[in-house]
Amino acid sequence: GGDVRSCDLDSVDVMREFGETYQQQYAVALFNSVRYEIEGGGTQSQLLHRKDPLVDRSIFSGNLFQYLEENRKWRNRFVFVASSYSISLYESKTAHDRSLHPKVTINCAGYRALKSMEEYMDLVNNSLPGVKARPSSSPFVKCATQFPLILWHPYARHHYFCVMTEKEQTKWHAVLQDCVRHTNNGLSEDCKVLTPAFTDAVRLHRQAKGHYGTWDMMCGGPPQILANLVMETLHPEMRSLIAHRLKGKLQQKQRHWMLISDALYKQVLRHTRAHYEALVQSCEVQRPALDAGLRTDMDQIIASKDHVQGKMRALVLPRAEQLLLASVKPYVDSILEALMEPTSRGFSEVRDVFSRELVEVSKNTLNGGGKELLGEQMERLSMLAFHPVKMQSCYEEVEQLNLDGLQQRFDVSSPSVFVQRAQILMREQMDNAVYTFEQLLNQSLEGQGDEDLCKTIQKCEDRVLKKYDYDSSTVRKKFFREALLQIIIPYMLKHLSPSCTALNPRPLTCGLICVPRLQELPKFKELIFEDFSRFLLVENVFEEVVLHSVTKDIMMAVKEAAVQRRHNLYRDSMVLTNSDPNLHLLGESPSVDWSTKFSPDDPEGEGEGGAQDEGPRGGLAAAKRRRQVVSMIQLDGVPLAYESCMEVPGVEGIPEEEGEDYGMRCKLGTEEEEDDDDDEARMLPRTPKSPDSVHEIRGLINPVVEVEHPEAEEGGTNGTEPVSATVLLEDGSVEEVRSVTTLVEGGDQRRVSPQDMMKRLMGKDRKQEVTDIEQAIQEIDLAVQEGGKDTDLEADLGQTSSKTNEGLNEVGPQPIRNGLTGGDGNGEEVENFGEKVAVQISDVVCEI
């Protein structure tokens, strides 16, 4: 209890210090925003930009097996990924369609998507310092299949999933990675005041603690980032207090520590969310008065800032240039090349993917598809940028970015910050290219027939690709400049900032050059008028001076690469502003609804995921249906065998050596060997059976019992006759018999009367009946052991009784032992059929 209270106090202290810094940076960010609004600036892109690309869309949905830590079992869940990239897990698809609350909702910010248990265990084993794991130690979570999917977080709860095939694993892994990528990018660039104020406050707060350089946990929205900021200090303290108190084996210690960490993170997150909302509200209340004062005194504020910058530049530049010359300039070209090569390959792959998709559209148009097929293809093309599987090849190129040898020198924790930023930019450029192509094609098709579709598509494609090359060059150059600044500026601030004097009072030695610490900055506060002191902070002015000292060298390096046309970069002078004013007028038009454009008689277009987008006329039902970006996973055109939310055994019931066999049993069924005489039966399509099947439930409610009768009447035929009788079972219960179906096998059809059949059911010749049942059981056991559904046994069984046996066989691969009587004179017992059916019905009703 004392440890928890101590952690709460630490959290409050961190948030109080951050709140003070945020209020100061809010006024500075407002000043910069108003100044930029008045002075203008910036370049205009050549491609159009879509405002809300994912309206009425969902990303993906399907079934996964989830590991439940409460009972240590795997359970099939229906997973729905909304346009916000939050992951919702439902009991079944029916629960989602009925808009019930999901079992779990996961925000993937800060997570890592893994598909290897070894990689996961490496991260888990490093979570508790001082506790060494054996190389052969087994994980505390045994995967039900050989295709795991894991969401790992340094502080929050981990989530474990698995699928049946490698194809599913690849697609789901791409979807999970896209969820992580999108939710990590939680700070909106459209917020010109709140976002800069928040990011600067976080950076200054970490610098005051001595943490310079990039930060991997700048992930998610402001409350999540603040929770990570608190946990950066709190997590190690709590671990040092609790780690040595954990008892049990290694796996148990790891499990308990993760539960403690997750509980602590949830508590911190609730606190930071409430604190941030209150902080923003208090600042927004003051915004009108601050904005009015800024617009009135903007000229005086700018003049005062320039005066302070001039004085500070004279003091800082000589020392900054020494540091640049000795420790930065020799590495600028190598850092730039390490950034340019994988990033440019990724943007080039975006161009190639876009072109390949348009080639497919043109091919189908040439094959006589016409405008109707064009509408379907354009509907899929419109979401190309948000299709994680199709974009995966682009993302993989930039994931090869490597900064080895530079990370320690410039305090770069990992290149993941730059990788995810480049991937976000790639997706934006792909969507801009697709949206521009849509608008151009829609304009060109007005009043045009089907004869010139290919030429029109080719002209629009050439026009878009040319604009894409210009925008790609502009975006990449901006990305390279920002990345270089993010790497170099923290390094320079760490060695020049007066805040480091207390940490290291000695001067910095760069080779043979000694750079003294700056301790004269506080005197510059006297140069700022008190009325302007909220908008002009000495710390921010100092950072801008350091930034300007580095910017010149960075700009020159990037410009030189563009002049040499390295990696297809263009010079800025080659990019024309407003070169196509007519095109930008199209950007004000709404997005084209290709699903209804060429189908006036059928306004309900069907999306890729199978859901229909009926528009505003569809009412409440249409509002619940969303077109899906990624199609459902199917194996060879057949739905998955576990769509019905079956339960998978827990860890204790899954031997490691049987993982492969288990996966095969959960697929469409085992491969069966058939005789040559069954060629016709082999050609019949097989569909996976579901325990929720209507036929199976009907068969369990009205069970059918098959009885062989060796004595038959001549001249009979197959048929069903209604009867009204009862059968006395072994346990004393009475079962009602409503009809008797006669099936005569062989060339001569012989008929058994219903009266004779009822005599057999009611116990006549019981000893012979038991002998026949035992013989049938032996035949079933032999057939099941040989492994096949279409063996000679199935040919011998009747059509009606086959339905019942299929329902019973769905329970598992065990042989069926349903008898009618309890035993004979020798004391041998046969299982009771009525009791078995009652249990089956109860299980099915529970599942429903």
Side-chain angles (χ1 to χ4, degrees), residues 370-546:
K371 288 187 176 181
E372 291 75 12
L373 181 59
L374 177 63
E376 297 177 6
Q377 293 181 319
M378 289 301 300
E379 178 71 14
R380 292 192 294 267
L381 180 67
S382 63
M383 289 291 103
L384 177 60
F386 302 91
H387 198 296
V389 179
K390 293 184 178 180
M391 291 290 293
Q392 187 63 22
S393 60
C394 310
Y395 297 149
E396 289 176 351
E397 292 291 343
V398 75
E399 286 175 357
Q400 300 177 17
L401 193 152
N402 189 358
L403 297 176
D404 287 345
L406 300 172
Q407 292 183 209
Q408 293 182 353
R409 181 175 187 84
F410 291 99
D411 197 13
V412 178
S413 55
S414 74
S416 61
V417 176
F418 309 110
V419 169
Q420 290 194 9
R421 178 57 182 167
Q423 291 172 341
I424 293 294
L425 294 174
M426 289 159 56
R427 184 175 65 188
E428 291 177 355
Q429 288 302 299
M430 173 66 88
D431 188 55
N432 291 346
V434 170
Y435 179 60
T436 305
F437 177 81
E438 288 184 78
Q439 295 295 332
L440 290 175
L441 182 63
N442 183 49
Q443 184 186 46
S444 302
L445 291 178
E446 297 294 337
Q448 179 179 322
D450 297 348
E451 59 277 359
D452 295 330
L453 280 179
C454 287
K455 290 183 178 180
T456 303
I457 292 173
Q458 186 62 44
K459 289 180 180 178
C460 294
E461 178 185 358
D462 294 340
R463 191 174 173 185
V464 170
L465 289 179
K466 183 177 180 181
K467 296 180 179 297
Y468 173 82
D469 290 338
Y470 283 127
D471 276 8
S472 170
S473 174
T474 303
V475 169
R476 280 181 292 148
K477 287 190 295 184
K478 181 181 178 181
F479 168 73
F480 298 149
R481 290 193 293 264
E482 291 178 350
L484 285 170
L485 289 174
Q486 290 181 17
I487 295 173
I488 296 174
I489 290 298
Y491 175 80
M492 297 192 65
L493 291 176
K494 182 177 181 179
H495 296 92
L496 295 176
S497 176
S499 63
C500 293
T501 304
L503 299 176
N504 185 9
R506 297 182 179 180
L508 171 66
T509 302
C510 299
L512 299 177
I513 302 176
C514 183
V515 181
R517 299 286 179 178
L518 297 175
Q519 303 180 11
E520 302 87 350
L521 291 184
K523 68 179 184 181
F524 289 100
K525 293 183 179 180
E526 302 173 0
L527 302 178
I528 301 174
F529 292 108
E530 184 178 356
D531 295 340
F532 306 153
S533 58
R534 296 196 62 180
F535 309 112
L536 301 178
L537 300 179
V538 173
E539 294 81 2
N540 293 83
V541 176
F542 168 72
E543 290 190 356
E544 288 186 18
V545 171
V546 176

Side-chain angles (χ1 to χ4, degrees), residues 725-728 755 757-764 766:
T726 58
V727 177
L728 181 62
Q755 292 78 12
M757 188 66 66
M758 288 306 304
K759 289 179 181 180
R760 291 187 55 79
L761 288 173
M762 288 184 289
K764 304 300 183 181
R766 177 163 298 187

Side-chain angles (χ1 to χ4, degrees), residues 235-360:
H235 197 257
E237 295 178 358
M238 177 65 75
R239 185 170 54 192
S240 62
L241 290 172
I242 293 180
H244 65 280
R245 303 182 187 179
L246 299 176
K247 305 298 182 182
K249 297 181 179 180
L250 174 63
Q251 291 83 357
Q252 190 175 5
K253 290 182 179 180
Q254 292 172 341
R255 185 190 299 274
H256 290 168
W257 170 244
M258 285 189 291
L259 293 176
I260 295 172
S261 177
D262 176 60
L264 180 62
Y265 182 75
K266 288 180 179 178
Q267 183 177 356
V268 171
L269 183 58
R270 286 194 295 268
H271 182 211
T272 55
R273 180 176 287 110
H275 183 86
Y276 178 74
E277 292 175 356
L279 190 62
V280 171
Q281 184 177 2
S282 64
C283 292
E284 288 293 306
V285 170
Q286 303 175 17
R287 180 167 181 170
L290 293 175
D291 187 89
L294 276 172
R295 297 182 184 276
T296 303
D297 302 328
M298 178 60 69
D299 293 338
Q300 291 87 342
I301 297 175
I302 294 177
S304 178
K305 181 178 181 180
D306 292 341
H307 176 69
V308 175
Q309 275 187 337
K311 296 288 186 179
M312 191 177 296
R313 190 177 296 112
L315 175 66
V316 174
L317 280 184
R319 307 176 187 184
E321 290 177 355
Q322 292 179 7
L323 184 60
L324 277 172
L325 183 63
S327 303
V328 175
K329 283 187 177 180
Y331 302 96
V332 171
D333 291 338
S334 59
I335 298 175
L336 181 59
E337 186 62 30
L339 292 169
M340 283 196 302
E341 185 174 356
T343 305
S344 298
R345 285 202 309 265
F347 276 84
S348 178
E349 181 66 16
V350 170
R351 190 183 196 276
D352 294 341
V353 170
F354 176 71
S355 298
R356 286 197 297 267
E357 291 293 323
L358 293 185
V359 168
E360 292 298 323

Side-chain angles (χ1 to χ4, degrees), residues 113-133:
L114 311 174
K115 59 178 181 178
S116 169
M117 189 60 71
E118 292 75 15
E119 185 179 2
Y120 171 72
M121 289 309 302
D122 290 341
L123 295 171
V124 172
N125 291 335
N126 294 328
S127 61
L128 285 175
V131 180
K132 299 296 182 181

